[in-house]
Amino acid sequence: MEPFMDPAEQYAMFATDARDSPCFSEWAAAVARDEEVLAWLATLPPIKQQPNLVFAAARWHGVPAPGPYDALRSALLDDDGTIRETILSRSTQTNEAGRMATLLPAITSLGLEGPISLLEVGASAGLCLYPDRWGYAWRTEAGEVRLGGEPRLTCAVRGALPPLPDRLPEVAWRGGLDLNPGDVTDEDAMAWLENLVWPEQDERRERLRHAIAIARAEPPRLVRGDLLSDLPDLLEVAAGQGPVVVFHSAVVAYLEPEGRERFHDLMTGLVADGACHWVSNEGKGVLPRITETGPPVPEGHPTFVTGVDGRAVAWTHGHGRSLRWVAGS
């Protein structure tokens, strides 16, 4: 997802990236060819033109999904302002707990001893702050590696074996920073998160409901703030509880290119000062200085690139379904 691309290019790319959802893939491909709908999108601020947000807003107001593209098209072109208002007032905060199956090996590779502090940038409702409350099943070429109990987050491991943990992490402190933190006790906010799950993906919906239940039992500390200016203050709070791992997933893409560079510099400076470790998980073009430290990503291959302290260690599926460890390749 690249929210600042030309809309036709963005939707064409999303049609490929969203192959896990035949409905969204079909809708995105059709939008990319539809001059009238593209003109309607062009009236929105660039950050609000993204497929996930537009499709979710349409679904929120009754457009069936899975369903025909014509229903989406009519809803957008005949909109009385209702869908537009939802697009402008809401945001895409996927908060996919399945990503922990790819993030945990990256955290394990740090070799930290004892309890750790987890600080998520762009935390939404903080549902990815509980890697110690799930079981895991990594399907490797040598067989399945299991950790913990049910329910399990499953992940297909391709290629070299990553540093899979032999025990669940100890988390002394968990918190996050977000421009608009989600409240797990707010039924409307959680219904919106569920609405963001792609239409055919009932398993992800069930996982989201379980993640919400976990967070409601022990809410994390979530702070409203900007990652470019407010992170150091929260980092000081986290540091009092144990070694800090700052992590994020599908968040930096929402920054303009200049902001992405500033964030990269901020994080590498904090790592160099020994203030924290940094686990990043973003689309391959979002933090290019990290992507370039790993093997070249094949042209046309949609992937997230996971980095540890500024160096690429893995290629991952955006929702945590697969992992290819590339560190040392």
Side-chain angles (χ1 to χ4, degrees), residues 25-256:
S25 182
E26 178 188 345
W27 283 6
V31 169
R33 301 187 298 267
D34 192 323
E35 294 298 332
E36 287 185 81
V37 173
L38 289 172
W40 186 88
L41 291 172
T43 66
L44 296 168
I47 194 65
K48 296 293 185 176
Q49 297 172 8
Q50 58 190 278
N52 265 333
L53 179 57
V54 172
F55 294 169
R59 294 176 69 198
W60 191 249
H61 293 289
V63 174
Y69 173 67
D70 285 348
L72 171 72
R73 186 179 197 274
S74 296
L76 297 182
L77 296 181
D78 297 336
D79 178 40
D80 63 0
T82 304
I83 295 176
R84 176 183 297 272
E85 176 57 30
T86 296
I87 292 171
L88 294 175
S89 63
R90 301 272 187 173
S91 58
T92 52
Q93 296 178 301
T94 307
N95 221 187
E96 174 53 64
R99 290 171 177 153
M100 288 185 288
T102 57
L103 291 169
L104 187 52
I107 294 172
T108 301
S109 74
L110 293 167
L112 300 175
E113 297 292 335
I116 61 174
S117 292
L118 290 178
L119 198 171
E120 184 177 11
V121 173
S124 183
L127 304 186
C128 290
L129 282 163
Y130 299 85
D132 53 331
R133 305 298 172 82
W134 295 79
Y136 299 85
W138 290 282
R139 300 190 301 273
T140 77
E141 294 176 2
E144 189 170 81
V145 177
R146 290 192 167 201
L147 177 67
E150 298 290 345
R152 297 182 190 277
L153 302 176
T154 61
C155 178
V157 176
R158 303 186 174 100
L161 190 67
L164 300 178
D166 57 12
R167 64 182 183 277
L168 293 173
E170 295 180 70
V171 181
W173 183 93
R174 62 190 99 226
L177 186 70
D178 200 288
L179 287 173
N180 184 31
D183 180 354
V184 291
T185 67
D186 184 327
E187 295 292 346
D188 179 76
M190 295 304 98
W192 174 252
L193 284 187
E194 186 167 328
N195 183 65
L196 287 168
V197 176
W198 295 355
E200 302 88 347
Q201 299 182 348
D202 293 335
E203 181 181 356
R204 285 185 61 207
R205 252 179 295 281
E206 287 301 317
R207 185 161 61 236
L208 175 68
R209 292 166 188 157
H210 185 76
I212 291 170
I214 289 174
R216 281 177 173 167
E218 184 190 335
R221 175 172 179 174
L222 299 179
V223 174
R224 187 180 302 274
D226 188 308
L227 57 83
L228 290 173
S229 57
D230 299 316
L231 177 59
D233 287 343
L234 189 57
L235 182 56
E236 285 189 20
V237 175
Q241 306 299 319
V244 183
V245 178
V246 174
F247 73 97
H248 52 89
S249 188
V251 170
V252 180
Y254 293 99
L255 300 178
E256 297 271 9

Side-chain angles (χ1 to χ4, degrees), residues 288-299:
R289 283 188 279 169
I290 293 179
T291 299
E292 290 164 4
T293 66
V297 180
E299 185 70 28

Side-chain angles (χ1 to χ4, degrees), residues 1-10 13 49:
M1 191 279 299
E2 275 288 351
F4 300 103
M5 291 178 67
D6 171 80
E9 293 180 38
Q10 184 179 168
M13 177 182 289
Q49 297 172 8

Side-chain angles (χ1 to χ4, degrees), residues 273-310:
D273 291 342
C276 65
H277 288 285
W278 174 29
V279 174
S280 57
N281 190 48
E282 301 286 342
K284 61 184 179 183
V286 173
L287 292 171
R289 283 188 279 169
I290 293 179
T291 299
E292 290 164 4
T293 66
V297 180
E299 185 70 28
H301 176 55
T303 189
F304 275 37
V305 173
T306 301
V308 171
D309 290 343

